[in-house]
Amino acid sequence: MNKEQNKIYITTPIYYINDRPHIGHAYTTIIADVLARYYRQKIGSDNVFFLTGTDEHGAKISESAIKYNLDTQDFADMISSEFFESWKKLDISNNGFIRTTSEKHKTIVRDILLKLKELKTPIGNDVLYESEYEGLYCVGCEKYILESELIDGKCPDHNRVPEKLKEKNWFFRLSDFIPSIIEKIKSNEIEVFPETRKNEVLGILEKQSLPDFSISRSIKSVPWGIDLPWDENQKCYVWVDALSNYITALDYPDGENFKKFWPADIQLMALEILKFHAIFWPAILMALDLPLPKKLAIHGFFTIDDKKMSKTLGNVINPNDLVEKYGPDVTKYLILSQFGFGSESDINVSEFPAKYNADLVNGLGNLVNRTTKMVEDYLSGNVYEKYEIREDSLLELVGENIECLDFRTALINIMATIKLTDQWIDKDKPWELSKLEDEESKIKLEKVLNASIVNLLSIANALKPFMPNKSQEIIDILTAEKIVKPEFPLFPRIG
Ligand code: MSP
C-alpha cells in the first residue's frame, strides 16, 4: 500500500452455498480479516471496508435444494446463514455480507446488464451481442455439459449420450478488451500476486484465443438466477452475477460506500477462480468505465493430510469444530502459521495441539505468567516506569510482513521475540536478583522486569490483527494499576 493511501477495500470470493463452510473458505476469510484489522489500526476503522458473502444462483444450487426437498430460496437462506454464523463464531470482522439473492444485488445487476447492452467496446463494437450457443445438453441433468465431463461419450451421472443443442444467448465481446487487459496486468496496474500467477494469467491471455463469453443462459439450463431484463427466457450467467457483488455491495453506482471504497485494493482468492477475476472481471469493469482492482492476491489450494478435501473422503474440516476446541483467536493463529500465502500445501490438523502447546501455552502464555508473577512478587505489582504501548519496531516489522501477505513470517517474528524475552529473563535471573539487597541488583531487577513488560506489550500489539481478543486481554493485564498474574491461564494446556 502506498503512503498516501487513505482507504482500503478488501474482498474474499463469495462462496457457493451448495457446500457448507469449510476450512478452505475459512482460510481466505481469515486472511482478509487479519488485513482488515491491521489496516484499521493503521488508517482508522472508517477507512476500511471488508466484504465477504455468498454466491447463491445457478443450476447447482437449485439441484442441491431439490436434494434437500426445500424451496430454493429457503435452501439458500439456510446455507447462507451457516456461512454468516461461522464467520461470527470465528470473530471475523467483515463490514459487509453480500448475498446474490438479495433484492438490492439483483436490482443493481439488472441495471448493470441494461447498461452493458447500450455500451460500446474500445474499438466501437457493441459490448453485448446475440448469438447462437451450441453445446451438449444432458436432459437428465437439464443442463449443458462439457465434452471433458463425458465418459465414453456419455454423461456419467445419467449414462446417456447428450444431445447437441443450439440456443440463442447474449455474449460479451471479450476479444475487444484482451489487448488492454494484457497491458494492465503486465504494467501491474492490476497487480496479480504472486508473480507466478501473473505469468500464468499472461500465458492464458497471450497464448490462447479466448472466446467471448455468454452473459446469459436459457432458463431451461439454468432455472435459478437473475432474469435478463430484456428477455424473460434467459437468466444472467452466474459469473457476471457473482463478480458484480464487489460493487453491488457498495451500492454502485451512487452509494457513498462505492464513492469512497471502489476500486478494490485487495481481492483475495485461490487460484481456481483467478481467470474469472483477472480476465472477465476487468473486462466488465472496463466496459462500464470503472477503475480496476489494484491487486488480486492468489493463495494456494490446500489439501488435508495430502488428500483433496471432499465429502466422500469424509475429511472436510468444519471451522466451527476448531473454534469449539481452540476458540477463534487460536484457530486463526494455527491456520495461518501452517504455511505461507502462495504455496499449495497440506493442512495437518493433527499437528495443531503440539503447535498450540509449544507456541501459545509454553511460549506466549508462559511468558505472561512468569513475568506478571515476578512483578507481583518482587515489585508489588509495579514496574518502576510505565511505558506507553508504542508503534514500535516489532509492529513495523510485522506490518511489513502483513502488507506483503507473509503472515507466517509475521508470526515467526513474533514468536522469536517471545523466545528472546524468555532468554533475557533466564540470563538475568530476577529470582536471584530479588534476594540481593544492594542498589545495583535492585535496579537491575526492575530493569529486566520492565523490559519484559515492554516487550510483551509490543508482542501483544503486533498480535492484535491475528488474535484480537487474546492480545487485548494481555494488554489489559499489563496496563492495570497493579500487575498481577492472571487467575486463569490465557492458553490452557490441552492433552
Ligand atoms: N462462488 C465462486 C466465487 C465467486 S467470487 C465472485 C466460488 N465459490 S467457492 O465456494 O468455490 O469458493 C472458492 C474459494 O474458496 C477459493 O477461491 C478459496 O478462496 C476458498 N477455498 C475453497 N477451498 C479451498 C481450499 N481447499 N484451499 C484454499 N482455499 C479454498 O468459487
Side-chain angles (χ1 to χ4, degrees):
M1 189 171 97
N2 55 32
K3 287 264 179 320
E4 67 275 12
Q5 186 146 11
N6 53 8
K7 67 89 190 169
I8 191 143
Y9 180 31
I10 302 161
T11 67
T12 73
I14 47 170
Y15 304 113
Y16 285 133
I17 52 161
N18 58 326
D19 212 357
R20 303 202 123 90
H22 59 60
I23 196 168
H25 310 121
Y27 182 63
T28 322
T29 313
I30 290 171
I31 292 173
D33 185 61
V34 171
L35 285 172
R37 289 179 187 275
Y38 166 76
Y39 281 115
R40 286 190 194 111
Q41 259 175 272
K42 181 167 173 170
I43 60 172
S45 302
D46 291 349
N47 300 319
V48 175
F49 199 96
F50 159 22
L51 178 72
T52 189
T54 43
D55 190 355
E56 306 184 15
H57 286 131
K60 271 198 281 194
I61 313 298
S62 40
E63 278 166 19
S64 300
I66 291 167
K67 271 191 213 146
Y68 278 82
N69 208 9
L70 283 175
D71 162 74
T72 316
Q73 187 61 57
D74 290 347
F75 172 78
D77 291 348
M78 177 177 89
I79 309 284
S80 176
S81 75
E82 282 190 29
F83 276 92
F84 188 86
E85 291 304 324
S86 286
W87 302 156
K88 257 201 181 153
K89 285 190 182 133
L90 247 183
D91 195 19
I92 298 297
S93 63
N94 50 305
N95 299 89
F97 186 93
I98 181 82
R99 298 187 54 190
T100 55
T101 58
S102 65
E103 282 313 315
K104 167 173 118 170
H105 175 82
K106 290 193 283 191
T107 307
I108 302 178
V109 169
R110 277 188 214 111
D111 290 347
I112 290 173
L113 290 166
L114 283 170
K115 240 180 221 166
L116 288 173
K117 194 158 174 273
E118 298 308 313
L119 290 168
K120 300 278 182 206
T121 70
I123 53 171
N125 293 316
D126 289 337
V127 170
L128 302 187
Y129 63 94
E130 204 177 13
S131 181
E132 294 264 300
Y133 177 87
E134 193 172 342
L136 297 170
Y137 192 81
C138 171
V139 182
C141 303
E142 287 290 5
K143 68 174 185 192
Y144 284 96
I145 61 174
L146 298 171
E147 191 97 43
S148 57
E149 289 173 312
L150 303 181
I151 294 178
D152 295 332
K154 291 178 182 169
C155 161
D157 289 342
H158 298 93
N159 199 29
R160 63 197 278 177
V161 180
E163 296 167 36
K164 246 199 179 131
L165 271 195
K166 265 188 188 172
E167 68 175 41
K168 282 220 160 174
N169 283 161
W170 284 84
F171 282 78
F172 183 99
R173 207 178 301 270
L174 181 64
S175 38
D176 282 9
F177 294 90
I178 297 284
S180 218
I181 297 173
I182 294 178
E183 180 215 305
K184 286 174 197 298
I185 292 181
K186 269 195 176 151
S187 68
N188 277 355
E189 192 180 323
I190 308 172
E191 183 192 350
V192 179
F193 177 87
E195 190 83 10
T196 44
R197 302 296 173 211
K198 170 177 172 177
N199 295 336
E200 274 172 30
V201 173
L202 286 172
I204 298 175
L205 282 163
E206 286 174 330
K207 290 190 199 90
Q208 300 173 11
S209 68
L210 288 167
D212 292 345
F213 61 88
S214 79
I215 59 125
S216 68
R217 291 279 192 276
S218 102
I219 47 172
K220 224 167 78 176
S221 52
V222 182
W224 179 245
I226 299 176
D227 296 334
L228 217 56
W230 59 89
D231 184 347
E232 57 184 22
N233 293 314
Q234 305 256 325
K235 296 279 185 190
C236 174
Y237 173 43
V238 70
W239 272 98
V240 174
D241 168 357
L243 289 163
S244 305
N245 92 84
Y246 301 127
I247 56 177
T248 65
L250 298 181
D251 303 321
Y252 167 78
D254 298 320
E256 284 311 308
N257 278 337
F258 181 74
K259 287 183 203 149
K260 176 160 180 178
F261 288 105
W262 189 256
D265 297 274
I266 305 178
Q267 303 215 263
L268 292 157
M269 73 207 73
L271 52 118
E272 88 290 13
I273 55 174
L274 173 58
K275 184 177 134 188
F276 297 100
H277 285 80
I279 303 175
F280 290 15
W281 181 220
I284 295 170
L285 290 167
M286 274 189 248
L288 292 168
D289 199 21
L290 289 176
L292 304 176
K294 294 195 179 140
K295 182 171 184 160
L296 305 178
I298 321 303
H299 63 72
F301 215 77
F302 53 76
T303 46
I304 307 288
D305 299 322
D306 288 326
K307 292 186 196 75
K308 195 172 181 287
M309 217 182 328
S310 84
K311 279 183 218 153
T312 340
L313 288 174
N315 63 353
V316 179
I317 298 172
N318 182 333
N320 297 347
D321 294 341
L322 293 172
V323 173
E324 225 152 78
K325 182 162 180 187
Y326 297 104
D329 285 34
V330 174
T331 300
K332 290 177 197 167
Y333 177 85
L334 291 173
I335 291 180
L336 290 181
S337 48
Q338 276 242 328
F339 40 73
F341 180 82
S343 53
E344 273 165 60
S345 286
D346 193 48
I347 200 152
N348 208 326
V349 187
S350 57
E351 285 170 7
F352 280 8
K355 179 83 177 154
Y356 168 73
N357 283 334
D359 290 2
L360 300 176
V361 180
N362 300 338
L364 180 58
N366 184 50
L367 180 61
V368 172
N369 277 350
R370 73 193 299 214
T371 307
T372 51
K373 173 90 174 99
M374 288 189 285
V375 173
E376 186 180 351
D377 289 354
Y378 310 147
L379 303 177
S380 318
N382 296 303
V383 275
Y384 86 124
E385 193 185 321
K386 289 262 168 172
Y387 275 68
E388 298 273 302
I389 307 167
R390 300 163 307 163
E391 295 280 306
D392 54 22
S393 56
L394 183 61
L395 186 61
E396 268 166 38
L397 179 69
V398 170
E400 261 176 48
N401 298 144
I402 293 177
E403 291 188 22
C404 304
L405 302 168
D406 191 357
F407 302 98
R408 190 154 174 258
T409 306
L411 295 173
I412 289 173
N413 286 332
I414 295 172
M415 285 303 133
T417 312
I418 294 174
K419 280 217 172 79
L420 203 69
T421 311
D422 267 327
Q423 284 164 3
W424 284 349
I425 296 175
D426 293 343
K427 186 171 126 288
D428 286 339
K429 299 188 177 56
W431 47 94
E432 285 181 6
L433 293 171
S434 72
K435 291 181 198 136
L436 304 173
E437 293 294 318
D438 62 295
E439 201 54 30
E440 207 181 311
S441 302
K442 270 192 184 157
I443 292 177
K444 199 169 171 193
L445 174 68
E446 285 178 347
K447 272 199 169 152
V448 60
L449 291 179
N450 191 67
S452 307
I453 296 285
V454 171
N455 269 13
L456 263 177
L457 280 172
S458 149
I459 289 161
N461 212 28
L463 271 173
K464 258 189 180 172
F466 301 94
M467 301 207 285
N469 306 298
K470 292 289 175 189
S471 307
Q472 195 54 53
E473 270 181 61
I474 296 174
I475 291 168
D476 290 346
I477 292 167
L478 303 178
T479 54
E481 200 48 42
K482 270 210 185 308
I483 294 177
V484 290
K485 185 180 165 211
E487 198 179 339
F488 303 104
L490 278 166
F491 302 101
R493 188 173 298 279
I494 54 168

